[in-house]
Amino acid sequence: MVIIKHCPNCGSEISDDSDFCTECGYKLSNSNYQAPVAKSGFFNTLNEKVNYSIIIFSFVIFGVFLFAGSIVWSSFLANGSIDMITYVLLTVVFAVFFGGIFAGYAGCEDKSYVLPNFSMYLGSIFAVVLCGIGLIFTFLMGILANISSAFSSLGGSSSYSSSHQPTASNFAPSVDLSFVFKIILFVLLIPVAAYFGIYLGYILKNNI
């Protein structure tokens, strides 16, 4: 990072190794000038160590392997080896891992670059995934609401005798624990796949 120095006498910009100010001739070696200390922090580290064009292009790789993974795991879905939730989980984690390899290989100069690139890559993934899930959920809820409204209107226009009307039950819907477990696993596996992908990309860059 380039540190810009200023002459303590006239305020003009000077180079870091200058002994005299080029504007006023002030002798810098006798001054008590101290170069400003660069601010450190999470976002400053991101700006210094993350190439955003690489993060963006890693999503191109992510998309390619998302398509490839959907083809690979669809064969397991077709023969009944896995269910739909597992299929989605494996496909997304597969794509996240290979996108991370590219981000680590192209964006990590040394080990200190791994965590900033991982943070930005993971944050971008969750932003995209959550937005996608939100849009799909909103779309499906809209469809279900319209279907429910249509069936309700049909049911209200039909007349039944009191003997044919179903009695109210105290049925409480049970929670599918396997579904909840897979959602939790899905949330946990994405950061794991992203980190190991980026770290593997960094190792490949330094050993190939």
Side-chain angles (χ1 to χ4, degrees):
M1 181 180 179
V2 178
I3 298 175
I4 300 174
K5 294 173 61 176
H6 295 272
C7 174
N9 185 47
C10 67
S12 301
E13 286 187 13
I14 52 176
S15 60
D16 191 44
D17 56 350
S18 298
D19 292 326
F20 294 90
C21 175
T22 55
E23 295 295 327
C24 67
Y26 183 79
K27 190 174 182 179
L28 302 170
S29 58
N30 293 333
S31 66
N32 294 323
Y33 175 79
Q34 293 183 346
V37 179
K39 294 181 180 180
S40 60
F42 177 75
F43 291 104
N44 288 323
T45 303
L46 289 182
N47 289 330
E48 291 174 5
K49 297 190 175 182
V50 174
N51 187 324
Y52 294 96
S53 60
I54 290 175
I55 296 297
I56 292 171
F57 196 79
S58 68
F59 274 85
V60 176
I61 306 299
F62 174 85
V64 169
F65 280 95
L66 192 66
F67 176 75
S70 65
I71 296 174
V72 171
W73 299 113
S74 63
S75 59
F76 294 93
L77 180 65
N79 62 27
S81 301
I82 57 176
D83 58 14
M84 186 64 185
I85 299 298
T86 306
Y87 164 75
V88 173
L89 188 150
L90 291 173
T91 302
V92 173
V93 169
F94 182 81
V96 167
F97 179 73
F98 283 97
I101 289 177
F102 173 80
Y105 186 87
C108 295
E109 299 296 329
D110 56 53
K111 198 171 183 179
S112 66
Y113 282 70
V114 172
L115 190 58
N117 279 272
F118 162 71
S119 301
M120 183 56 64
Y121 180 59
L122 180 64
S124 302
I125 286 172
F126 273 118
V128 171
V129 170
L130 290 176
C131 286
I133 291 174
L135 289 173
I136 293 171
F137 179 78
T138 303
F139 179 72
L140 291 177
M141 288 301 293
I143 293 176
L144 290 174
N146 287 330
I147 293 174
S148 176
S149 176
F151 277 104
S152 296
S153 61
L154 289 174
S157 61
S158 303
S159 59
Y160 294 95
S161 63
S162 59
S163 61
H164 290 87
Q165 290 185 0
T167 58
S169 63
N170 294 325
F171 173 76
S174 60
V175 178
D176 187 352
L177 294 179
S178 64
F179 176 78
V180 175
F181 174 75
K182 287 174 183 178
I183 294 297
I184 295 173
L185 188 65
F186 181 79
V187 173
L188 293 177
L189 279 180
I190 287 180
V192 171
Y195 183 82
F196 278 103
I198 289 176
Y199 195 79
L200 179 60
Y202 159 73
I203 292 174
L204 291 174
K205 181 176 183 176
N206 287 273
N207 290 279
I208 294 180

